[in-house]
Amino acid sequence: MKSSSQDIIMWGESMYNELIKIGPVTIYGYGLMIALGILLAYRLAVYRAAKRQLDLTRFNSLAGWSVAGGFVGAKLLYSNSHCQ
């Protein structure tokens, strides 16, 4: 099966950005994928920490602060880039 660059471009245009919209709440496709990535990375890290017999309470605290810091850093970057 041959695919040209035009086929790839047409395929990319058919993706819907909004997956679910319930009242004022909208779930976007990229947001869902980011959330799934964070969840799967957390589960893998918990599995590996338990396998190495590390303290999971300290690990959970570190993971929570890391996710919170990521959100704060992303918001700071967005406001620095888009607000003048």
Side-chain angles (χ1 to χ4, degrees):
M1 178 179 182
K2 279 187 166 180
S3 70
S4 66
S5 61
Q6 190 175 21
D7 292 337
I8 294 171
I9 291 172
M10 292 303 293
W11 178 77
E13 291 176 1
S14 65
M15 181 178 158
Y16 296 106
N17 205 11
E18 296 179 357
L19 293 179
I20 300 170
K21 190 169 189 174
I22 302 172
V25 177
T26 304
I27 298 177
Y28 294 96
Y30 56 87
L32 179 64
M33 292 301 124
I34 290 172
L36 283 174
I38 290 171
L39 179 66
L40 290 175
Y42 171 75
R43 296 292 297 161
L44 177 64
V46 166
Y47 170 76
R48 293 179 80 176
K51 193 173 181 180
R52 293 189 174 133
Q53 298 175 347
L54 299 176
D55 183 18
L56 292 180
T57 57
R58 294 182 77 189
F59 176 78
N60 288 334
S61 177
L62 175 66
W65 282 108
S66 297
V67 170
F71 282 123
V72 169
K75 193 60 163 176
L76 288 173
L77 178 65
Y78 175 80
S79 53
N80 188 25
S81 302
H82 289 79
C83 298
Q84 297 171 358

